[in-house]
Amino acid sequence: MLPHFGPHPRPRRGAHGLFGLFFLSSPGPEAHAAAAPRATAGFQTTDKIVLNIDLPGATGDLAVELVGPKGKVHARSTRAVTPSDGPQHRFEFGALKVPADKVTVRCLFGKKPVEVALKSILLAKAHETTLVSSRELFAGTEAALRCSVHGV
């Protein structure tokens, strides 16, 4: 131990209190419940509706409901999610019996539900693929092709 010269340093009461507050409020496994799910896109066919829910780095049960007029739940699906599943989660439901403009998507994760109108996230079609290349291609030479996929 090294000898101490000079006045004795004052104890840092504030630092200990701040450390204790940090330690008591540090995130534990249940901290992932604070993440909020977000319905980002969906598409509808004659026999099903598919929704994409964004919920990055979360662990717990994610439930998605299709809610019609007067708060009636027409469909519900629940799944356990973990960070290893990735940030995007796909949910499929059967065909709707009510018009899409009268349906709300309700995402439940933790205690607070998040709702969005289905019509605001519904794509016109599932995707559109475009392939672009030069007009002339010659055997034995290199060529570049660009393929892109977009939601419409």
Side-chain angles (χ1 to χ4, degrees), residues 119-131:
K119 67 181 179 181
S120 68
I121 61 168
L122 206 55
L123 302 173
K125 48 184 166 173
H127 66 275
E128 184 173 276
T129 305
T130 307
L131 184 62

Side-chain angles (χ1 to χ4, degrees), residues 8-60:
H8 188 67
R10 275 185 27 207
R12 295 183 177 182
R13 291 185 195 117
H16 292 298
L18 186 59
F19 177 76
L21 180 62
F22 172 78
F23 198 79
L24 289 174
S25 64
S26 64
E30 66 281 349
H32 292 294
R38 204 168 53 101
T40 56
F43 68 91
Q44 187 173 13
T45 65
T46 55
D47 60 339
K48 67 181 174 181
I49 185 162
V50 179
L51 298 174
N52 183 62
I53 309 299
D54 190 21
L55 183 62
T59 300

Side-chain angles (χ1 to χ4, degrees), residues 55-125:
L55 183 62
T59 300
D61 289 332
L62 172 61
V64 177
E65 298 176 338
L66 299 179
V67 183
K70 299 181 183 174
K72 180 182 178 191
V73 176
H74 290 274
R76 178 183 170 93
S77 181
T78 303
R79 103 171 35 129
V81 296
T82 64
S84 63
D85 296 334
Q88 323 256 289
H89 306 281
R90 178 182 166 126
F91 285 81
E92 287 189 29
F93 299 95
L96 293 171
K97 294 180 174 36
V98 295
D101 63 339
K102 296 187 185 299
V103 175
T104 300
V105 178
R106 180 185 297 151
C107 300
L108 302 146
F109 186 79
K111 297 179 181 174
K112 185 177 178 188
V114 177
E115 295 184 351
V116 63
L118 178 60
K119 67 181 179 181
S120 68
I121 61 168
L122 206 55
L123 302 173
K125 48 184 166 173

Side-chain angles (χ1 to χ4, degrees), residues 136-143:
E136 296 179 4
L137 300 174
F138 299 99
T141 63
E142 290 186 16

